[in-house]
Amino acid sequence: MASETFPGVPDEDAALGGHPEPRGTLIIGACQAGVQLATSLRELGDTEQVVLVGEEPHAPYQRPPLSKEYLKGEAGADMLTFRTHQWYADKGIGLAVRERIVQVARDDGGGEAVAESGRVFPFKRLALTTGAAARKIPFEGSEFEGVSYLRGADEAGILAGQLRGARHVAVVGGGFIGLEVAAGARAEGRNVTVIEAAPRLIGRAVSEATSGFYLDAHRRRGTEVILGAAVGRITGRHDRVTGVELADGTVVPAEVVLVGVGAVPRTELAGQLGLAVENGIVVDSRTLASDGLTVAAGDCANMPNPFVRDYGAGRIRLESVQNAV
Ligand SMILES: Cc1cc2nc3c(=O)[nH]c(=O)nc-3n(C[C@H](O)[C@H](O)[C@H](O)COP(=O)(O)OP(=O)(O)OC[C@H]3O[C@@H](n4cnc5c(N)ncnc54)[C@H](O)[C@@H]3O)c2cc1C
């Protein structure tokens, strides 16, 4: 998908106002949590500089429709974008896209972040809203054309193109995203097989009864669901995927394979700052990281939660919109 299809990417230099001094807040990660933080700062009366920097080539957009309406062509890119160029300008929020921060350093008074492009972003306060990345498993054959992961808008655009015309689709991973893609493909009349390693679907997030409900619902609609199955390798011919071979030798034919096996928190920058990291950036109830200075929020943060006292040492890293806003 071309970045031009996403409206609202402001002129970066104008939006940033050309401030060379560390005067305000730098938010690294321009998506759900980052936009919410910038919005909240303005709503709470912060009049200092707020700059949102993100590596993707798009203005911040919502991810949930990527595996739903957007994939099915029922929602366009304009429906995904959170805010218009004008909104960022009106709020005085600088937005820099296509800038991957590769280096960050700070002390009590502030610091600076350096992008791959060499551009420097000085700051007084820093927030990490770097999210998560699709977990990649180096299956033999993962490099074949037609093998996809789904985290960003560009990947969704590629997957949508691959699905068009595909008769057989294999989904590795019976979690939320895999099942949503499976349901969409099945509704379009494709032969869909879901391959799940665990004995039940969405096992990390829902009860056994709910897993059973989803299993029945998918099977009733004609999706084949294979539980407790390990992937041996992905098969292909002339660089194109032809199927998934399970550890027991069964071959599931597929022209498209979506691998949806979870997400891993983006903690590279937290590591550079020496912050505590354990399944995400460890934060306290105010979302402050272990240095007591840097804020971390959204999918990248591991936070205390009174409802999970009995496991995970009372902490949880949630991947949901509700948690990011
Ligand atoms: C296909 C899909 C469907 C989903 N469906 C639902 C749903 O139905 N309901 C729900 O509640 N949740 C859903 N989610 C999860 C939800 O989208 C996330 O919880 C939410 O996007 C988290 O927001 P975030 O800002 O923390 O992280 P992200 O959305 O991951 O944003 C982080 C941003 O930081 C950027 N970044 C990272 N490192 C750097 C760096 N070094 N320099 C610059 N930029 C950087 C990333 O590129 C990214 O743009 C879905 C997710 C996906 C992928």
Side-chain angles (χ1 to χ4, degrees):
M1 177 196 316
S3 62
E4 285 68 32
T5 59
F6 273 70
V9 179
D11 174 291
E12 295 169 17
D13 289 327
L16 294 173
H19 298 299
E21 294 303 318
R23 299 196 313 150
T25 302
L26 178 68
I27 303 170
I28 304 177
C31 207
Q32 190 90 51
V35 170
Q36 181 61 54
L37 177 54
T39 307
S40 298
L41 286 173
R42 287 294 179 249
E43 284 173 357
L44 292 168
D46 184 347
T47 54
E48 288 199 308
Q49 188 183 47
V50 175
V51 172
L52 198 49
V53 58
E55 66 189 355
E56 293 190 72
H58 312 297
Y61 61 92
Q62 26 174 345
R63 293 183 200 282
L66 296 181
S67 49
K68 309 175 185 70
E69 301 88 339
Y70 186 69
L71 194 61
K72 290 188 272 180
E74 293 167 4
D78 54 331
M79 303 279 289
L80 266 54
T81 310
F82 288 122
R83 304 287 188 182
T84 60
H85 177 180
Q86 194 54 47
W87 183 87
Y88 291 100
D90 290 348
K91 298 288 176 194
I93 295 169
L95 174 63
V97 297
R98 298 186 193 85
E99 295 284 8
R100 173 175 298 146
I101 301 299
V102 290
Q103 230 179 298
V104 64
R106 71 164 306 158
D107 58 25
D108 292 2
E112 61 179 35
V114 183
E116 210 165 43
S117 65
R119 193 164 169 188
V120 177
F121 295 86
F123 59 83
K124 204 157 79 179
R125 290 175 292 274
L126 176 67
L128 299 176
T129 52
T130 45
R135 184 188 303 281
K136 303 215 165 156
I137 301 183
F139 297 121
E140 181 187 335
S142 295
E143 72 285 1
F144 287 129
E145 206 186 320
V147 179
S148 290
Y149 293 86
L150 180 53
R151 180 74 196 177
D154 292 335
E155 289 164 321
I158 292 168
L159 179 61
Q162 290 171 338
L163 284 171
R164 245 172 266 131
R167 286 192 307 131
H168 297 90
V169 177
V171 173
V172 177
F176 283 119
I177 291 174
L179 291 179
E180 285 170 358
V181 173
R186 183 65 202 136
E188 289 167 346
R190 308 183 203 291
N191 298 306
V192 180
T193 305
V194 174
I195 301 158
E196 167 57 49
R200 63 187 179 95
L201 296 175
I202 332 175
R204 283 189 310 136
V206 303
S207 69
E208 262 186 74
T210 309
S211 287
F213 171 85
Y214 281 109
L215 179 64
D216 289 346
H218 282 271
R219 283 187 171 157
R220 245 194 344 266
R221 287 165 176 78
T223 295
E224 188 179 349
V225 181
I226 307 176
L227 297 172
V231 171
R233 67 183 179 117
I234 294 175
T235 60
R237 202 172 134 77
H238 303 310
D239 296 336
R240 271 216 61 88
V241 67
T242 55
V244 180
E245 186 179 304
L246 305 183
D248 68 3
T250 308
V251 175
V252 175
E255 295 101 56
V256 175
V257 174
L258 173 78
V259 183
V261 289
V264 285
R266 298 277 306 268
T267 59
E268 314 91 274
L269 299 177
Q272 286 184 21
L273 291 166
L275 304 178
V277 170
E278 200 182 328
N279 182 27
I281 305 167
V282 175
V283 296
D284 65 16
S285 56
R286 297 165 303 160
T287 72
L288 276 181
S290 58
D291 63 357
L293 298 167
T294 305
V295 163
D299 282 15
C300 68
N302 180 340
M303 52 201 310
N305 186 313
F307 296 108
V308 295
R309 234 178 252 132
D310 295 342
Y311 62 93
R315 299 192 143 269
I316 195 164
R317 187 179 68 78
L318 287 168
E319 291 166 13
S320 79
V321 168
Q322 290 83 349
N323 176 61
V325 296

